[in-house]
Amino acid sequence: MQSPSNIIYHNQSKVLEIVDYDGRQMLLPAEYLRVMSPSAEVQGHSPDQAQLQVGKRDVGIVGIDPVGLYAIRIVFSDGHDSGYYDWDYLRLLFAEKENRWQAYLNELQERGASRDPDDPKNEPFKAKPQKACHHWYVW
């Protein structure tokens, strides 16, 4: 699980370029990384809890933070920042990019949702605001 030699985000194309020490180049679109986020918010704590990500066509990357020597935390333009992308997961996303992307597109179509951010069909899939939970302790 060696860290890459270089990580470059291309703002105009919204593509993250990762270069391994062996020179292999991996190109991963920001939208793909966002919808495949390893966070519990996206993946859930089990496969049946996974949340379909809709309206992410225009998402970009606004920050990349190292997490030790084993991962990066990506901050997306829609505010999502809770997934740690370790090197093995990024390599897996690259290796399975076509299959995973097609499965995502198929799920969007099957469920009547869209990649477009302003599509009204996406409303049922958008996250609902959580009620604040306050615990008061008396000592």
Side-chain angles (χ1 to χ4, degrees), residues 9-29:
Y9 179 62
H10 300 278
N11 241 349
Q12 194 167 15
S13 63
K14 297 182 181 179
V15 170
L16 186 66
E17 177 183 355
I18 301 172
V19 181
D20 269 344
Y21 275 99
D22 63 4
R24 184 172 83 156
Q25 178 190 48
M26 296 181 284
L27 299 173
L28 299 165

Side-chain angles (χ1 to χ4, degrees), residues 37-53:
S37 172
S39 73
E41 177 184 336
V42 172
Q43 300 298 329
H45 294 287
S46 64
D48 62 318
Q49 293 179 340
Q51 298 295 310
L52 180 62
Q53 300 300 297

